[in-house]
Amino acid sequence: MKQFFIAMISGLLFGAGLAVSGMTDTNKVIGFLDLFGAWDISLLLVMIAGLCVTVPAYQLRKRLKKPFFSSEFSLPSMGSVDGKLLMGAALFGIGWGLYGYCPGPAVASLSYGNIDSVYFLVAMFVGMNVANKIS
Amino acid sequence: MYITPIMGGLMIGTAAAFLLWTLGKVAGISGIYWNAFSVELPLLSKERVWRLAFLLGLVAGPVLVHHVSTIAVPAAPESGVMAAVIAGFIVGLGTRLGSGCTSGHGICGIARFSTRSLLATAVFMFTGFLTVYLLRHVFA
């Protein structure tokens, strides 16, 4: 129960941050990706501001034996770069540029009540299943 | 005019830091979304439930923002259903193959100084720029 509320608060703050920053606005996101048009730099600031918090948080974490409300940290291993990673990232960027949603804003946009967000999310889940089958 | 992107970014970063310090988890939305709905986990396992809770919060966040602030609800995308389905599929395929998206690689992975995440972020930014360039300035 405690874990449920903690995760919900984190999601709430994350979703609020997406809405405040403009990441849930596909026009703004595509404006940021339009390097050769009227480039809107502001979404770069979202990432930099985010990193200003996460870099110290991830580095200071090394001094903690365990998280406050869980028995251990579950972090992906620091593997090496491979073709699957690069191919996946390349595809993701194409999909992001096509429509203007990455996964977070796509989920958060459900709150705006546009049915297209549902189609986007269902297709995203299908794509994830296909990726699992072929890898 | 740059106040809201900076404020929003700080909120996103704080949410990710909070999730790491409390539950020890990475705030990577593509992974959270996948594991929340995939059949790989038992129906009501602890590992699924926290992710569903996070996603609930993620949807509630913008509702709260647009309710308490003057930030307007963004215009609905006009690309149409087909574009939504095609883009959604590619985003799902790509994030699963590439083990993450903007949040998992860009906000959390880079903060861990992960080479994989740094490279993945450079690649998806590049193909994102390229896609918009082709759509807006070549095939427009």
Side-chain angles (χ1 to χ4, degrees):
Chain A
M1 210 55 191
K2 197 195 284 173
Q3 288 214 346
F4 185 91
F5 281 109
I6 289 171
M8 198 158 72
I9 288 165
S10 173
L12 189 78
L13 185 59
F14 201 109
L18 289 175
V20 168
S21 66
M23 290 289 294
T24 54
D25 183 346
T26 52
N27 286 322
K28 198 172 173 66
V29 172
I30 291 180
F32 162 69
L33 291 174
D34 194 6
L35 207 52
F36 299 95
W39 191 41
D40 178 0
I41 190 182
S42 57
L43 295 192
L44 189 64
L45 298 176
V46 178
M47 192 169 160
I48 294 170
L51 285 170
C52 285
V53 182
T54 53
V55 169
Y58 268 89
Q59 295 309 314
L60 288 171
R61 167 208 76 85
K62 293 171 185 165
R63 300 192 189 174
L64 293 177
K65 280 196 192 73
K66 66 177 209 62
F68 293 120
F69 300 110
S70 172
S71 54
E72 58 183 357
F73 287 101
S74 25
L75 301 169
S77 61
M78 295 277 220
S80 54
V81 174
D82 54 27
K84 201 174 120 191
L85 175 83
L86 299 177
M87 174 60 96
L91 282 170
F92 163 47
I94 293 170
W96 191 29
L98 274 178
Y99 199 81
Y101 280 154
C102 49
V107 174
S109 76
L110 280 178
S111 61
Y112 299 146
N114 305 319
I115 190 74
D116 286 8
S117 292
V118 177
Y119 293 127
F120 186 99
L121 286 168
V122 170
M124 188 167 101
F125 190 68
V126 173
M128 288 174 162
N129 273 290
V130 171
N132 257 32
K133 290 272 187 312
I134 62 177
S135 59
Chain B
M1 75 184 279
Y2 292 131
I3 296 294
T4 49
I6 293 173
M7 218 171 84
L10 291 173
M11 290 162 77
I12 293 167
T14 306
F18 178 71
L19 193 66
L20 175 74
W21 282 50
T22 52
L23 302 185
K25 306 288 188 184
V26 175
I29 312 301
S30 57
I32 290 177
Y33 181 77
W34 166 252
N35 285 299
F37 298 111
S38 108
V39 290
E40 287 173 355
L41 291 171
L43 188 60
L44 279 178
S45 69
K46 224 167 108 184
E47 285 305 303
R48 189 192 298 279
V49 168
W50 79 259
R51 289 178 168 99
L52 287 171
F54 184 94
L55 294 177
L56 272 177
L58 197 59
V59 177
V63 177
L64 191 70
V65 167
H66 299 303
H67 189 69
V68 302
S69 77
T70 56
I71 296 170
V73 171
E78 288 169 1
S79 316
V81 180
M82 272 317 283
V85 169
I86 293 167
F89 179 84
I90 301 174
V91 166
L93 185 68
T95 51
R96 194 82 200 122
L97 284 176
S99 313
C101 59
T102 343
S103 48
H105 283 311
I107 297 286
C108 298
I110 290 181
R112 291 177 71 199
F113 303 149
S114 151
T115 318
R116 276 172 62 86
S117 288
L118 194 66
L119 239 123
T121 305
V123 170
F124 68 65
M125 287 278 183
F126 174 75
T127 57
F129 287 136
L130 188 69
T131 303
V132 173
Y133 174 72
L134 291 175
L135 283 178
R136 283 221 169 157
H137 304 289
V138 179
F139 300 115

